[in-house]
């Protein structure tokens, strides 16, 4: 997240119309519009890897995985999750969804605090949301907040498997970090070979 481009609050309708024309994506929080920063290579690889793993395992189900350019509406706010999965009819708009089952955020220095706190707490109010996932890009660590466990979080590391109970699928942490270049991944791969 970055600086506001509008100092005065704007309407939801004005925000949505502006996003159709904007060259940069913006999130809409409490009537304010916030420009989003670009993603690093590791951030992009992690997003692609998790959406690919989810899509492959969800074939033949009504669930659909979306990445980066589709917004989620949370109350009167709009966010761009890195990845989200929707498993029911959710056709209010072709540009945003309202009923995700899982939201995934890849953490970066500029978004870490917001993604871990305010954004997470707002998203946990979505009635359909079952899991909120935070993926570290600078180390091999994934945190999963689970509604069925009263939003308690669980940590997963390279060598672990994550079962997304809301979808009934399991994904290995190693597959999520495929081709990601950070110290934890490199150490894990060296230990695996040696």
């Amino acid at each position: 997240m970055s600086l506001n481009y509008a100092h005065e609050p704007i309407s939801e309708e004005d925000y949505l119309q502006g996003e159709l024309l904007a060259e940069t994506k913006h999130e809409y929080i409490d009537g304010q519009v916030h420009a989003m920063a670009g993603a690093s290579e590791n951030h992009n690889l992690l997003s692609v890897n998790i959406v690919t793993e989810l899509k492959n395992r969800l074939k033949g189900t009504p669930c659909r995985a979306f990445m980066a350019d589709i917004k989620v509406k949370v109350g009167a706010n709009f966010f761009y999750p890195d990845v989200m999965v929707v498993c029911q009819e959710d056709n209010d708009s072709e540009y945003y969804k309202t009923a995700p089952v899982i939201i995934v955020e890849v953490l970066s220095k500029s978004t870490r605090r917001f993604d871990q706190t305010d954004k997470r707490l707002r998203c946990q109010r979505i009635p359909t949301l079952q899991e909120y996932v935070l993926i570290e890009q600078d180390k091999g660590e994934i945190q999963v907040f689970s509604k069925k466990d009263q939003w308690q979080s669980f940590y997963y590391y390279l060598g672990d498997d994550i079962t997304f109970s809301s979808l009934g699928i399991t994904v290995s942490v190693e597959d999520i970090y495929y081709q990601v270049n950070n110290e934890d991944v490199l150490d894990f791969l060296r230990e695996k070979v040696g």
Side-chain angles (χ1 to χ4, degrees):
M1 267 220 303
S2 186
L3 301 173
N4 291 339
Y5 74 67
H7 298 291
E8 297 294 318
I10 68 168
S11 72
E12 185 178 306
E13 184 178 305
D14 287 345
Y15 161 73
L16 291 170
Q17 286 301 311
E19 279 302 275
L20 295 175
L21 306 171
E23 292 180 20
T24 303
K25 294 188 295 190
H26 303 84
E27 294 189 323
Y28 180 74
I29 305 163
D30 299 331
Q32 296 291 318
V33 178
H34 302 268
M36 295 182 65
S40 70
E41 181 178 327
N42 279 349
H43 189 286
N44 191 272
L45 284 168
L46 287 162
S47 296
V48 168
N49 290 347
I50 186 73
V51 81
T52 301
E53 294 298 326
L54 293 173
K55 269 187 95 56
N56 286 341
R57 287 168 175 78
L58 292 171
K59 282 183 182 172
T61 75
C63 298
R64 295 170 293 154
F66 297 95
M67 192 174 131
D69 289 331
I70 299 291
K71 294 177 282 298
V72 62
K73 182 176 183 184
V74 184
N77 302 294
F78 290 87
F79 303 112
Y80 282 96
D82 291 314
V83 174
M84 72 175 148
V85 175
V86 176
C87 292
Q88 66 185 49
E89 283 298 315
D90 189 352
N91 297 320
D92 289 351
S93 169
E94 61 183 313
Y95 299 104
Y96 66 83
K97 299 298 171 195
T98 59
V101 174
I102 291 179
I103 289 177
V104 179
E105 294 292 350
V106 177
L107 298 176
S108 63
K109 288 180 177 79
S110 64
T111 64
R112 170 184 305 283
R113 184 173 181 187
F114 182 71
D115 288 348
Q116 289 176 323
T117 57
D118 195 38
K119 188 181 214 176
R120 176 180 60 83
L121 293 172
R122 289 175 191 245
C123 288
Q124 285 176 349
R125 292 185 204 135
I126 300 169
T128 58
L129 192 72
Q130 299 300 309
E131 289 158 312
Y132 185 86
V133 181
L134 298 172
I135 301 176
E136 292 282 355
Q137 66 174 309
D138 297 324
K139 57 184 175 177
E141 179 182 291
I142 299 174
Q143 185 178 16
V144 179
F145 292 85
S146 172
K147 184 176 185 174
K148 74 176 178 71
D149 294 305
Q150 289 73 50
W151 294 114
Q152 181 179 346
S153 67
F154 300 89
Y155 288 87
Y156 300 88
Y157 303 93
L158 290 157
D160 293 341
D161 290 329
I162 302 173
T163 297
F164 296 106
S165 58
S166 59
L167 301 173
I169 62 172
T170 300
V171 179
S172 77
V173 173
E174 184 178 354
D175 288 341
I176 295 169
Y177 280 92
Y178 176 67
Q179 293 183 331
V180 171
N181 186 11
N182 70 38
E183 195 172 315
D184 283 359
V185 173
L186 296 175
D187 287 346
F188 177 77
L189 294 174
R190 276 193 291 269
E191 286 176 23
K192 217 175 143 179
V193 183

